[in-house]
Amino acid sequence: MMNGKEYIDSLRDLDLEVYFLGQRIKSLVDEPMFQPHIHTAAMTYELAHDPEYQEIMTATSHLTGERINRFTHIHQGIDDLVKKVRMMRLLGQKTGTCFQRCVGLDGLNAVYVTTYDIDQKHGTNYHERFRNYLLEVQKNDWMPSGAMTDARGDRSLRPSKQQHPDTYVHIKERSEDGLIVSGMKAHITGAINSHEIITMPTRTMGEEDRDFALSFAIPADAKGVSYVFSRQTNDTRRLDGVLDSGNPKYGIVGGEAIIIFKDVFVPWERVFMAGEYEFTNELVETFAGYHRSNYGGCKVGLADVVIGGSNWIAEAHGIERASHIVDKLTEMIAMAETCWSCTLACSYEGYRTPSGAYHIHPLLANVTKLNITRMVYEWMRLAQDIAGGKIITLPSEKDLENPETMEILTECFAGKEGFPPRDIIKMLRLIENMSVGAGLPEAMHGAGSPAAQKIMIARRSGVDRKMELAKTVAGINQDTSFERIIGKDEKEHWDEVKKKIQEKSVQIC
Ligand SMILES: Cc1cc2nc3c(=O)[nH]c(=O)nc-3n(C[C@H](O)[C@H](O)[C@H](O)COP(=O)(O)OP(=O)(O)OC[C@H]3O[C@@H](n4cnc5c(N)ncnc54)[C@H](O)[C@@H]3O)c2cc1C
């Protein structure tokens, strides 16, 4: 297992083609705009070496029996699923932002589960290939990015009907050695500081979209791959001064990028789906289930930070005992713990898939994420309420340091005795960073927009059964037999009981 420094050093061995603000970036690791994202991902490596967190941050590989970073592990039981979300919350608490590595983890698990099922049906050997790839990931402690979302163009058209074929990643050529692929993946978290890319199809494909039913892994610096790094709210503030950026060490959101694949060669041993369109739905839903359950971990870790920050600011401003402040903080805690309960339930209600890997409860995972799309906005609204308008009107650090304005600004931001004005500004900037910035749309769209969760909830909620229950209770079922009401198994059980009682010549009512 690498530690944080070794991870950062390992990125120097890669030669990625990355564009940002109209320029090709030469050294990713030394680029100040990328450093917060790299530091955050490094935390996933560093904490694995901290004895206090080893139980949560590491696992035993089911392939080798070796101790590995949990971010490269295939969940072997309920305990693993629970530890995974504990790890998410912990990292949210330590960084106050997105630590990026969960997308690849979910990609590894989803591809593991699906390749097994494809092989069962088609007699292919995708699963064996994938296990070999996984061995490499675990041995090298790689961070793969999870690239599912295609650019998607006109959302009402299927991939094969798009005006530009490259809006979806697709197979251009097949040969004895492998595939040639082209296309684009958008919004990919941690892409520029990952060692590898794992791709997955973004939606359910039909037969006509066979060439888009595709999953593979390649090195992040494979020939033909390039990146355009995204802008974020107030991103260049990190160049202006430590105070102004709010979370100077770890930044804001995960550092997303568009990945462009231009005639990229993928050898067969790195191909995990190539045309099996009937399994695209399974892969998408399995990935989405894992990923949506994570949000009740990482975002609750962030909530812990923002609740703590809001409480601290309330104390600094002398309002901590006001009943409405206590009420708002309590409300924030209750919402955060509701999301946490949801994600724990996803794990505890998990199940074993035919591949042996454990999956979370899909209905509950979608409920978790849907709650996140609403509640993060709500608890951040309350954080803004408690912190005051200063979070968007604070002057810059440069004005605080300018002898002409320093004294007056120090007076202006003074709070209760014992709370230095500079610390008050730091905390207000952190709350600004977390509640005004890109973290909100991330909670909305990351792991899929709310409509995607609602579709899954509607599909999996078993409304037919609920109607049967209601009809039975209301006494409007046509068939009122005991068996229909209580179910076949239970009917057999009671028949057996009845028989035994009758054998003993006892009357039953
Ligand atoms: C911060 C961040 C990080 C992310 N990280 C990753 C990552 O690491 N890997 C990855 O693969 N993806 C990632 N994503 C992508 C994420 O999954 C998508 O943002 C999400 O699926 C929504 O897609 P979109 O942003 O293109 O929005 P759109 O698809 O344009 O959605 C906008 C609206 O259109 C609706 N809509 C879309 N399609 C249809 C349709 N066919 N019919 C009806 N309504 C429709 C949506 O419900 C929504 O209301 C990330 C996103 C964000 C914001």
Side-chain angles (χ1 to χ4, degrees), residues 316-371:
H317 287 160
I319 54 170
E320 77 276 17
R321 297 225 174 116
S323 62
H324 76 100
I325 297 292
V326 174
D327 182 66
K328 281 165 188 158
L329 287 165
T330 310
E331 197 62 43
M332 291 166 84
I333 294 165
M335 281 187 286
E337 299 303 338
T338 300
C339 293
W340 177 239
S341 312
C342 284
T343 198
L344 281 181
C346 295
S347 301
Y348 281 114
E349 291 287 301
Y351 63 95
R352 191 176 192 276
T353 65
S355 70
Y358 271 66
H359 196 231
I360 48 71
H361 190 290
L363 171 63
L364 298 183
N366 280 279
V367 171
T368 306
K369 173 66 204 331
L370 190 62
N371 273 338

Side-chain angles (χ1 to χ4, degrees), residues 178-202:
L179 301 173
I180 302 290
V181 303
S182 281
M184 278 173 269
K185 295 280 186 187
H187 326 274
I188 307 306
T189 299
I192 60 136
N193 48 294
S194 291
H195 306 98
E196 291 273 318
I197 309 168
I198 298 178
T199 74
M200 292 161 280
T202 202

Side-chain angles (χ1 to χ4, degrees), residues 103 146-149 151-152 155-156 186-189 253 256 441-442 445-449 451-452:
V103 203
M148 174 171 270
T149 312
R152 301 200 316 294
R155 271 75 169 151
S156 69
H187 326 274
I188 307 306
T189 299
V253 215
E256 279 66 39
E442 194 219 344
H445 290 292
S449 313

Side-chain angles (χ1 to χ4, degrees), residues 243 309 312-318 387 390-391 394 400 410-431:
L243 273 190
W312 190 92
I313 279 294
E315 284 187 17
H317 287 160
K390 290 186 289 303
I391 54 169
L394 286 169
L400 273 173
T410 307
E411 262 177 48
C412 180
F413 293 104
K416 211 191 231 180
E417 218 183 311
F419 290 84
R422 205 179 163 80
D423 287 352
I424 292 178
I425 293 174
K426 269 190 190 169
M427 193 60 84
L428 290 169
R429 282 287 184 215
L430 175 66
I431 295 172

Side-chain angles (χ1 to χ4, degrees), residues 112-321:
Y112 188 92
V113 169
T114 311
T115 49
Y116 182 88
D117 292 340
I118 300 177
D119 289 357
Q120 295 306 300
K121 178 160 183 213
H122 291 293
T124 39
N125 71 336
Y126 290 124
H127 192 63
E128 190 190 333
R129 286 180 198 169
F130 187 73
R131 284 169 74 101
N132 289 337
Y133 173 65
L134 183 66
L135 272 171
E136 277 190 85
V137 171
Q138 294 185 343
K139 191 177 80 198
N140 295 298
D141 203 359
W142 279 333
M143 166 169 162
S145 62
M148 174 171 270
T149 312
D150 293 281
R152 301 200 316 294
D154 182 342
R155 271 75 169 151
S156 69
L157 298 178
R158 305 203 63 82
S160 51
K161 300 283 181 292
Q162 294 289 331
Q163 191 184 353
H164 305 291
D166 284 350
T167 48
Y168 282 80
V169 173
H170 61 283
I171 301 169
K172 275 183 85 176
E173 275 176 53
R174 292 165 187 258
S175 72
E176 263 186 24
D177 302 329
L179 301 173
I180 302 290
V181 303
S182 281
M184 278 173 269
K185 295 280 186 187
H187 326 274
I188 307 306
T189 299
I192 60 136
N193 48 294
S194 291
H195 306 98
E196 291 273 318
I197 309 168
I198 298 178
T199 74
M200 292 161 280
T202 202
R203 56 181 286 175
T204 303
M205 307 282 176
E207 192 168 0
E208 70 275 30
D209 301 317
R210 197 179 273 277
D211 286 344
F212 301 81
L214 179 61
S215 171
F216 59 87
I218 46 169
D221 59 351
K223 190 163 176 286
V225 175
S226 60
Y227 303 79
V228 182
F229 191 73
S230 312
R231 296 230 57 178
Q232 295 175 341
T233 328
N234 299 333
D235 53 3
T236 44
R237 279 209 208 159
R238 65 189 60 145
L239 306 176
D240 298 341
V242 169
L243 273 190
D244 294 358
S245 65
N247 187 353
K249 184 144 188 209
Y250 303 116
I252 183 168
V253 215
E256 279 66 39
I258 296 165
I259 309 183
I260 301 151
F261 301 81
K262 196 164 178 358
D263 295 329
V264 177
F265 171 69
V266 187
W268 281 117
E269 64 265 24
R270 292 291 199 97
V271 176
F272 313 124
M273 175 188 278
E276 291 79 7
Y277 62 90
E278 335 82 275
F279 286 90
T280 48
N281 185 49
E282 176 179 329
L283 184 46
V284 171
E285 285 195 7
T286 308
F287 172 82
Y290 283 127
H291 205 43
R292 288 174 190 165
S293 78
N294 292 349
Y295 274 65
C298 62
K299 295 292 171 276
V300 173
L302 267 56
D304 292 331
V305 175
V306 91
I307 291 166
S310 305
N311 215 326
W312 190 92
I313 279 294
E315 284 187 17
H317 287 160
I319 54 170
E320 77 276 17
R321 297 225 174 116

